[in-house]
Amino acid sequence: MFKDRHLLHIYTIIFIDVVVGSIIGPVLPQFVRGHQQPQLWLALGTSLFLGVQLISAPLLGKLSDGYGRKPIFRLSSVGTFIADCMLLPVRMGWQLANRFSDGLTNGLYATVRSAITDISPKEALFRNLGIEGAIISLGFVIGPAIAGLLITTLDLTNPVEQARYVVAMAVGLSALNVLLSFLLRETHANAGGVSRGELKTELVRSLNVGSMLARLRQKDHEHPGLLQLVLMQVALTGAVGYYNYFVAYASLGELKMDAKDISYFFMYFGGLSVAISYGFYGFMADRINQRRAIFWFALVGVPVLASYGLVGTSKLWLYIIITIDCLTYSLIQGLIEGLMAQKTTDIDRGEIFGLNQAMQGLASFGTTLVFGLLSIIDLRLPFAWFGACLAVVAWMARK
């Protein structure tokens, strides 16, 4: 019963954190409106957020193994609150500062997965990590829904005013998460601390991609198959980079979607994803061959993902594609995480998830640069790149 309450507390923190991140999605174009190549500035902000995690994620993962999960929850929640306050001026410079600042303390999801794994029996691991994925999807529903409801209820017509009200809501919710994080109980009771020398070594290693790969190879010797799962996650991260690109594509491309349209789209996407993820991870994920499922989801998902670039002005086709999306490769993330969690121990769980998040940060940084450059040529081209990355996932799962 205690573990159920503990999981509920962790899930609540995750949910609010995702809402805080997704609520500002519909108004992000307002921060770059009026600047040349606005999609590039949005991509730069995403690159800053993800790229800085190359340093922060392994370091925070190591700290969570040494000092427990709770201090990292606190640090991350406070960091998010401070970063959200930077968005209040609704200016591009502050938005870039927000992305850099928030990335420095964004070790939350490596720590979340470690904490869930800490208190989950083996038979419930896929279910509990799958529920985490469903909650993240639910946050994607509620965030844009709150933004759309706020804009509609207050009858806000000025785009800058819309952004300010939405950001103010995000600041309030992130303050609530600070309180919840300070009330969280520890899940990793055997933490033995980390010396200054270890932290210094970890920081130096974090700046060296080759060193991260060497450490993952070492962990792969201890947990055979781990490195392949991490590399599969890297390829998947390249594919789902469209999550970060979609707002720019939908608002600046042929669809010409405004803040309300984007809110409604994410509400549908998130709601459907929650229902499908809950059913899949609650009743099927632990009863199937997970690696084979990854292969088929990725293989079917390749043409689906590429199709986003072909919708033209048709919102109907956009909604059809996102429906198939939710039934295929959107389910892969939780399967990989479940397989990876089985290859960790209490001693190195935070470190492994931290290294994995850093590799995801590197992949996200790279894919953001690629889709930013491709979008200069044609706003539809990035979806060919995303589809190619998903094809790599299918190939690796088959192998």
Side-chain angles (χ1 to χ4, degrees):
M1 193 68 179
F2 167 74
K3 288 184 178 180
D4 290 342
R5 291 198 301 270
H6 211 160
L7 275 171
L8 181 60
H9 194 153
I10 293 170
Y11 289 153
T12 302
I13 291 172
I14 301 168
F15 173 69
I16 295 175
D17 187 74
V18 178
V19 168
V20 168
S22 64
I23 195 175
I24 63 173
V27 297
L28 272 179
Q30 306 312 321
F31 288 85
V32 297
R33 194 76 70 179
H35 294 272
Q36 289 187 343
Q37 301 292 348
Q39 71 271 27
L40 282 184
W41 290 111
L42 287 175
L44 177 60
T46 302
S47 297
L48 282 172
F49 175 70
L50 298 167
V52 76
Q53 292 179 40
L54 290 173
I55 300 171
S56 64
L59 187 63
L60 292 172
K62 185 72 173 180
L63 286 170
S64 79
D65 283 337
Y67 294 104
R69 317 303 182 199
K70 184 167 65 174
I72 308 305
F73 272 88
R74 292 176 173 179
L75 176 64
S76 181
S77 63
V78 171
T80 297
F81 172 74
I82 293 172
D84 284 341
C85 289
M86 295 179 181
L87 292 174
L88 288 169
V90 194
R91 293 178 182 172
M92 187 178 72
W94 284 108
Q95 190 259 343
L96 296 177
N98 160 274
R99 297 291 76 198
F100 180 81
S101 174
D102 204 13
L104 281 176
T105 56
N106 193 49
L108 181 61
Y109 291 93
T111 305
V112 160
R113 286 154 195 153
S114 298
I116 292 173
T117 306
D118 287 339
I119 58 178
S120 296
K122 186 175 181 180
E123 64 273 13
L125 191 56
F126 274 101
R127 183 195 67 195
N128 292 346
L129 287 172
I131 290 173
E132 176 222 0
I135 288 170
I136 290 174
S137 297
L138 181 61
F140 275 113
V141 178
I142 302 299
I146 292 174
L149 184 63
L150 192 65
I151 292 169
T152 303
T153 302
L154 298 179
D155 194 24
L156 302 172
T157 56
N158 184 293
V160 175
E161 190 179 35
Q162 290 176 352
R164 284 183 180 145
Y165 273 88
V166 169
V167 169
M169 179 66 76
V171 170
L173 290 171
S174 61
L176 174 60
N177 235 12
V178 172
L179 175 62
L180 289 173
S181 296
F182 273 80
L183 294 175
L184 183 68
R185 294 187 180 185
E186 184 57 69
T187 65
H188 185 46
N190 299 319
V194 182
S195 68
R196 287 186 178 181
E198 288 177 307
L199 286 178
K200 183 177 180 180
T201 301
E202 189 70 37
L203 181 59
V204 172
R205 286 174 171 178
S206 299
L207 295 170
N208 187 331
V209 176
S211 174
M212 283 195 295
L213 287 172
R215 291 167 67 190
L216 284 168
R217 290 192 188 98
Q218 180 184 348
K219 292 296 179 184
D220 190 59
H221 286 302
E222 300 171 16
H223 314 287
L226 175 66
L227 180 59
Q228 187 186 37
L229 289 171
V230 172
L231 294 178
M232 198 182 297
Q233 185 100 296
V234 165
L236 180 64
T237 301
V240 299
Y242 86 95
Y243 293 160
N244 296 317
Y245 177 63
F246 182 80
V247 170
Y249 174 70
S251 62
L252 303 174
E254 293 180 76
L255 288 165
K256 301 296 181 186
M257 294 171 70
D258 60 18
K260 288 183 182 179
D261 290 331
I262 294 171
S263 295
Y264 297 148
F265 173 80
F266 278 109
M267 287 167 62
Y268 177 79
F269 179 21
L272 185 61
S273 183
V274 167
I276 292 173
S277 294
Y278 180 79
F280 179 75
Y281 286 105
F283 304 101
M284 294 179 61
D286 57 349
R287 301 176 183 177
I288 61 175
N289 184 314
Q290 291 89 17
R291 189 175 290 271
R292 187 175 298 169
I294 292 171
F295 167 72
W296 284 109
F297 285 154
L299 187 65
V300 174
V302 170
V304 176
L305 187 51
S307 295
Y308 279 107
L310 304 176
V311 297
T313 60
S314 175
K315 293 178 183 176
L316 173 61
W317 276 111
L318 178 67
Y319 276 85
I320 291 173
I321 292 169
I322 198 64
T323 302
I324 304 173
D325 176 332
C326 291
L327 290 165
T328 54
Y329 61 91
S330 286
L331 297 169
I332 295 174
Q333 180 84 15
L335 292 173
I336 296 177
E337 287 176 5
L339 291 170
M340 194 179 301
Q342 292 179 341
K343 297 182 180 296
T344 66
T345 66
D346 289 341
I347 297 172
D348 61 7
R349 185 163 295 137
E351 180 182 4
I352 288 174
F353 279 122
L355 286 168
N356 178 61
Q357 186 172 345
M359 292 298 293
Q360 285 183 277
L362 177 63
S364 295
F365 181 79
T367 201
T368 301
L369 291 179
V370 171
F371 75 61
L373 292 173
L374 289 175
S375 69
I376 296 176
I377 303 171
D378 192 308
L379 286 169
R380 299 168 294 181
L381 271 181
F383 290 100
W385 163 256
F386 301 141
C389 290
L390 192 60
V392 173
V393 175
W395 176 78
M396 292 186 70
R398 181 177 182 276
K399 185 179 178 182

